[in-house]
Amino acid sequence: MVDSDPVDEKILDAALERILLLGVRRASLDDIARRAGMNRITIYRRFTTKDNLVEQVLRRELLRVLGEVTAVGRAAVGVDEQIEATMCALIRATLTHPFATRLLEVAPEDALSFYTLRGEELVQAGIFYIVAFAERGQRAGVLAPYEPRPVAELLARLAHSLLLTPNGGVDFNDEAQTRQFVRTTVVPLLKYGMGQPDTGLAAKSAES
């Protein structure tokens, strides 16, 4: 792993703080530079534009969230439990991360525009993560040998829709409802794909 640049990290920290306080549009590079304790030229030299800086802030937060979600899933025992723990943690993070709560409070129109314009990046990151999760399980022999991308796209789009419309039929703020939803829909989807369950795999999972 490449060590992060401390100056870049300081700029990203300042940018995140100002974005969550003021919104994306109102958080100027001058504000961010003052908060970081450096001049605006340094930020331009390292990130070129404000859009690039915002993109890097979002990417860093995505990596942080996915790292935390992965740790939660790996702590569970058994494939069903790992899937359930991972997806519940992902849903919880989607609903509770400051980008999903503070940004909506301080600049709701800003948040809507942000998640719409950058939706492709968020969905692609989700697809990449879920495909990797499924492929690891397939190599380990605990998930059926299906094509994971359609499943990953479906689940990534579900997570993105929660950012824009958190309320619906299932109350995802309720832990019991979330777990029931994940257990009855997401777990079998990730284990078997969109086809019929592999009875041999099911028996193997039951034994493990």
Side-chain angles (χ1 to χ4, degrees):
M1 180 180 293
V2 178
D3 291 336
S4 58
D5 185 299
V7 175
D8 284 355
E9 290 298 313
K10 191 172 184 180
I11 294 170
L12 292 171
D13 287 341
L16 176 62
E17 180 180 318
R18 301 309 291 175
I19 287 170
L20 295 180
L21 181 66
L22 301 171
V24 176
R25 283 178 294 180
R26 291 172 57 202
S28 69
L29 288 179
D30 286 332
D31 286 335
I32 295 167
R34 281 194 295 271
R35 185 68 188 89
M38 57 188 67
N39 60 56
R40 181 172 173 163
I41 299 301
T42 302
I43 297 179
Y44 270 124
R45 187 180 300 122
R46 289 171 175 267
F47 294 96
T48 310
T49 65
K50 178 182 170 181
D51 281 346
N52 286 341
L53 175 58
V54 171
E55 181 178 335
Q56 290 301 317
V57 171
L58 178 60
R59 180 171 291 121
R60 187 181 69 163
E61 291 307 298
L62 275 171
L63 290 175
R64 281 179 172 175
V65 167
L66 294 179
E68 292 167 0
V69 166
T70 298
V72 170
R74 286 179 175 169
V77 178
V79 61
D80 287 31
E81 290 75 12
Q82 287 182 349
I83 294 173
E84 181 178 324
T86 299
M87 295 309 299
C88 285
L90 184 58
I91 290 171
R92 192 180 310 113
T94 300
L95 294 175
T96 61
H97 191 279
F99 257 119
T101 56
R102 287 286 301 281
L103 198 57
L104 282 170
E105 291 174 3
V106 301
E109 293 183 2
D110 219 9
L112 180 61
S113 174
F114 182 76
Y115 289 125
T116 301
L117 293 175
R118 297 187 181 273
E120 181 179 353
E121 181 179 351
L122 292 167
V123 171
Q124 285 181 344
I127 291 171
F128 180 84
Y129 178 81
I130 296 167
V131 166
F133 180 93
E135 288 178 342
R136 286 195 301 271
Q138 289 171 337
R139 287 194 297 270
V142 296
L143 301 185
Y146 61 87
E147 168 51 53
R149 284 194 63 83
V151 171
E153 175 130 3
L154 182 65
L155 295 177
R157 289 188 180 278
L158 167 64
H160 183 251
S161 75
L162 289 175
L163 283 171
L164 301 174
T165 313
N167 298 318
V170 176
D171 181 1
F172 287 104
N173 288 303
D174 183 279
E175 181 73 14
Q177 288 191 43
T178 300
R179 288 194 172 277
Q180 176 66 12
F181 175 84
V182 170
R183 191 177 299 125
T184 57
T185 60
V186 180
V187 170
L189 186 61
L190 269 171
K191 284 181 71 176
Y192 308 114
M194 295 181 179
Q196 294 298 314
D198 183 308
T199 55
L201 178 62
K204 179 178 178 181
S205 297
E207 293 171 359
S208 61

